[in-house]
Amino acid sequence: MEELTFLVKGSATKPYEVTFIKDGNSLTALCDCPAGQFGNSCKHRIAIMDGDATAISGRNADQASRIVEWLAGTDVEAALTEMRQAEKDPEKTKADVANLKKKLAKAMNS
Ligand SMILES: [Zn+2]
């Protein structure tokens, strides 16, 4: 099992802590921002899973690329891809995207 924690600048003064735990084929992504604490999806985790290190304020920003590797083949990646496709598809309603965000949050929290 491997674990990486990043400090991410958010709307609060104190940076949020975003933690990724890789255990075999499973990836858990946790964030202590308000959305994350309520078990919802948040942009902090998604940005890092996209390999976007711009908001990381700690010294380990270069490790964000490892999360992209960890994501490959996990149910989190599948849920993220499904949500992205729904967002791009004009046929999909906002409700569908909202449901897929919940599914993504569930995948990240398990
Ligand atoms: Zn967050």
Side-chain angles (χ1 to χ4, degrees):
M1 194 166 83
E2 290 181 272
E3 186 173 327
L4 273 174
T5 297
F6 300 94
L7 294 177
V8 175
K9 270 177 267 172
S11 45
T13 321
K14 195 173 161 280
Y16 297 127
E17 261 189 41
V18 183
T19 301
F20 293 90
I21 302 158
K22 176 74 171 169
D23 190 3
N25 262 344
S26 145
L27 179 70
T28 302
L30 304 168
C31 182
D32 69 354
C33 77
Q37 286 184 339
F38 278 108
N40 295 321
S41 174
C42 72
K43 61 184 177 186
H44 313 111
R45 283 170 286 178
I46 291 173
I48 294 174
M49 291 191 294
D50 281 341
D52 178 3
T54 51
I56 297 174
S57 61
R59 273 171 286 176
N60 63 347
D62 59 327
Q63 305 260 0
S65 60
R66 294 200 57 207
I67 302 305
V68 179
E69 290 166 22
W70 287 6
L71 182 65
T74 65
D75 58 344
V76 177
E77 183 189 41
L80 184 61
T81 303
E82 198 179 352
M83 191 196 74
R84 283 271 151 75
Q85 282 167 350
E87 277 179 338
K88 279 183 206 157
D89 186 348
E91 302 289 305
K92 290 274 184 186
T93 63
K94 280 186 181 174
D96 286 336
V97 174
N99 282 332
L100 291 167
K101 271 190 180 154
K102 279 182 200 154
K103 188 177 170 184
L104 171 61
K106 205 178 162 203
M108 288 194 291
N109 287 318
S110 63

